Amino acid sequence: MGNAYIFSLTPTFTQGLVLGQLSILFLLVVILKYLFFDAVSDQPYKSFSYQPRIPREDEDVATARNEKELSQSDVVDGKTGVESADWLNILLHQVVDSYRSKLRDNLTGAEGDEVARKRIEAFANKMRPPGFFDPIKVHSVDLGVSAPRLSRARPGPLSTPLVDPQLEIDMKYTDTLSLSFSTSVLLNYPFPSFARLPISLTVSLDLFSSTILLTPPQPHSPHPTVTVTLPSPGSEFVLDLKTSSLMGSRAKLADVPKLHELITNQIRRAITEKGTWKVVLPYLASVQEVQEDVRRESEVTH
C-alpha cells in the first residue's frame, strides 16, 4: 500500500522547501489581515482618528483675488481674431455661485457646509460599486469661491463659410475646491469580504486648464442645442490634483504615490469620456428629446 502522507518526520529537501514557502505565505496573510486590514466592519460608517484636510484659503482673500482677475482685460488681437471674454467670465462666475448656493440650500457658514456635505455623501454612495467599497463617509467639503477663467475667444478649427461656426476658448481654473472622505476597499479573495482595507483621503484641485469648443445651435435642427466640448478635439488638458491619504487599520501607509496616480487617471478618463455637454435651449427642445438624439447618435457611432 502506497504512502498516504505528504510530509514525513524526516522531510526531504523538497518537502522542507514547500513547508517553508507555506509558512511564509501564512505569515504574510496574518500580517496583512490583522495589521493593515479590518476583518469585520462593526458599523456602516467606520470613523478614523485621522481625517486629512487641506487648509482652506481665507474666503475674503480668495474673493478679492477673483475680483482682481475679473477686472483684468484680455488682450484683443485683431489680426488673429482673438477677443476678450471678460463679459463671459462675469456671467460664468455668477452661474457657478448660484450652483454653490443651491447646493447649500442658500445657507451660509457651518450649516450650509453640512447640507452640501450630506448631499455629496448621498451622491457618492449612490454611485459607488457596493461589492468593492464599504459605504463612503464624507468628512468635509470645500466648494471653493472661484470660477473657471476664460480667455482668448477665437474661431474654432472648423469654422469656415461652408461649415457652421465654432468658438474655441482657453479655460483655466484654480480654487480651494476639496473633498475629504473615508471608506474601506473590500477584498473578496479567497472568499467574499475576506478583509477590508480602510482608506482616508483628501483630494483638492490645484489647477485645471483646457481649451473648450463651443458649437452653436443648428438653425434647422429639430432640437437645437449649444454643444460644449472639453477638451477641444486635438488639444490636451492639464489636471493637477493634490492628494493626502492614509491606508490601513493599525499600521498606516501615508500618501501612497500609486493611489494619487490612480485617482488622477480615473478623473482624466472621466473627463475624456464624458467631456461633451449639450445645453437645451428653452422652448426649442426638451431634455427628453435631446437625450433621445444623443442615444441615436451613440448607436450610429457604435
Side-chain angles (χ1 to χ4, degrees), residues 275-289:
T276 299
W277 296 271
K278 291 184 178 293
V279 181
V280 179
L281 302 179
Y283 306 110
L284 294 181
S286 67
V287 174
Q288 292 76 15
E289 290 172 336

Side-chain angles (χ1 to χ4, degrees), residues 136-156:
I136 298 171
K137 175 64 177 179
V138 174
H139 300 291
S140 62
V141 175
D142 188 338
L143 299 179
V145 295
S146 183
R149 172 73 177 168
L150 305 178
S151 62
R152 299 186 67 246
R154 57 197 182 276

